[in-house]
Amino acid sequence: MRKSGFRNGIGGDQVECAHGELPYRIGDKWTAHVLRALQGGRRRFTELRAGLPGVTAKVLTETLRAMEREGAVSREAFAENPPRVEYELTARGRKLLGLLDLCCDWARENLVET
Amino acid sequence: MRKSGFRNGIGGDQVECAHGELPYRIGDKWTAHVLRALQGGRRRFTELRAGLPGVTAKVLTETLRAMEREGAVSREAFAENPPRVEYELTARGRKLLGLLDLCCDWARENLVET
DNA sequence: CCGCATCCTTTAGGATACTG
DNA sequence: CAGTATCCTAAAGGATGCGG
């Protein structure tokens, strides 16, 4: 059984547009928001958290870890005190953001009429 | 707080591409598959079920009911014995399918390289 | 055949407290 | 500051059985 290019959201598996194993999480609650937040460039954990009202540290961490595993963001930790960690979109992350933009364009064009 | 054009999948709420209240379910487990299955035209319940291995009657019914509420499919029941029910994409359903196609195109172009 | 009712498991996600 | 560790709830989804 083939898999779609998304880990969840839009299809699960077995949808035709499948391409091996390239799980991209985008349909969960926070990934899209993180992509947006990182659109402007490198951000540290606290900045992300402040820009995403409602997210808890636990869930934000989980989201970022997943995105890192999937190659959408890069993580850099500095051995300072107090610690500092910065996140940045990778090329793949920027591509994901491109898809998100496509979806938003589509919505703008098609969902306006009731 | 603004809402995105999707009920779940891709962002929840608060994503920029918001347009009032147009809840379209697409990020759940089966909606995208149903859209594909109805791409070829009108299908009856049993056909859909057979074409979606793994789905239970309960969940397929729930999915179709939700899609019907959201105006993505139309449902026609025939008062025969045994009963027959047919589903078909509406114009809005075809538009949703268009979005799904966009996403698949995107995946085809961008997610092939590991 | 279609699909509702019931029960159950799994998972996402939130609340809170604590630590290097 | 940037997280882990626990615990908890709600919701999605699966299993099974019944009914018009």
Side-chain angles (χ1 to χ4, degrees), chain A residues 47-101:
Chain A
E47 294 179 294
L48 288 175
R49 202 178 168 185
L52 302 172
V55 77
T56 61
K58 177 202 167 218
V59 172
L60 181 54
T61 300
E62 286 170 358
T63 302
L64 287 166
R65 289 282 189 281
M67 294 175 75
E68 193 189 0
R69 274 198 308 277
E70 296 165 5
V73 300
S74 62
R75 175 181 186 276
E76 188 175 8
F78 299 86
E80 305 169 355
N81 202 311
R84 178 164 55 106
V85 179
E86 293 184 352
Y87 294 91
E88 191 174 21
L89 288 184
T90 62
R92 294 174 74 157
R94 284 190 293 275
K95 287 185 175 184
L96 253 198
L97 189 53
L99 175 58
L100 187 58
D101 287 335

Side-chain angles (χ1 to χ4, degrees), chain B residues 34-54:
Chain B
V34 172
L35 288 174
R36 287 266 171 251
L38 288 175
Q39 191 169 24
R42 176 174 281 251
R43 295 282 182 273
R44 52 189 298 184
F45 187 83
T46 310
E47 294 179 293
L48 288 174
R49 198 175 173 190
L52 302 173

Side-chain angles (χ1 to χ4, degrees), chain B residues 18-100:
Chain B
H19 294 277
E21 299 291 334
L22 290 164
Y24 270 131
R25 154 176 176 139
I26 188 172
D28 69 310
K29 188 166 181 181
W30 294 105
T31 295
H33 299 298
V34 172
L35 288 174
R36 287 266 171 251
L38 288 175
Q39 191 169 24
R42 176 174 281 251
R43 295 282 182 273
R44 52 189 298 184
F45 187 83
T46 310
E47 294 179 293
L48 288 174
R49 198 175 173 190
L52 302 173
V55 78
T56 63
K58 177 202 167 222
V59 172
L60 180 54
T61 301
E62 286 171 356
T63 303
L64 287 166
R65 289 283 188 279
M67 294 176 76
E68 194 190 0
R69 275 197 308 278
E70 296 167 4
V73 301
S74 61
R75 176 181 185 274
E76 189 175 8
F78 299 86
E80 305 169 355
N81 202 308
R84 178 164 57 104
V85 180
E86 293 184 354
Y87 294 90
E88 191 173 21
L89 289 184
T90 62
R92 296 174 74 158
R94 283 190 291 277
K95 286 187 176 182
L96 255 199
L97 189 54
L99 174 58
L100 187 57

Side-chain angles (χ1 to χ4, degrees), chain A residues 2-111:
Chain A
R2 316 180 75 195
K3 302 261 183 176
S4 87
F6 306 95
R7 206 175 71 203
N8 57 17
I10 307 189
D13 51 11
Q14 172 193 11
V15 162
E16 270 306 284
C17 56
H19 293 278
E21 301 288 335
L22 291 164
Y24 271 130
R25 153 176 179 141
I26 188 173
D28 68 311
K29 188 166 180 181
W30 294 105
T31 295
H33 299 297
V34 172
L35 289 174
R36 288 265 173 254
L38 288 175
Q39 192 169 23
R42 177 175 280 251
R43 295 282 180 272
R44 51 190 297 184
F45 187 83
T46 309
E47 294 179 294
L48 288 175
R49 202 178 168 185
L52 302 172
V55 77
T56 61
K58 177 202 167 218
V59 172
L60 181 54
T61 300
E62 286 170 358
T63 302
L64 287 166
R65 289 282 189 281
M67 294 175 75
E68 193 189 0
R69 274 198 308 277
E70 296 165 5
V73 300
S74 62
R75 175 181 186 276
E76 188 175 8
F78 299 86
E80 305 169 355
N81 202 311
R84 178 164 55 106
V85 179
E86 293 184 352
Y87 294 91
E88 191 174 21
L89 288 184
T90 62
R92 294 174 74 157
R94 284 190 293 275
K95 287 185 175 184
L96 253 198
L97 189 53
L99 175 58
L100 187 58
D101 287 335
L102 272 187
C103 292
C104 290
D105 291 346
W106 185 93
R108 214 163 267 122
E109 292 167 22
N110 292 291
L111 293 178

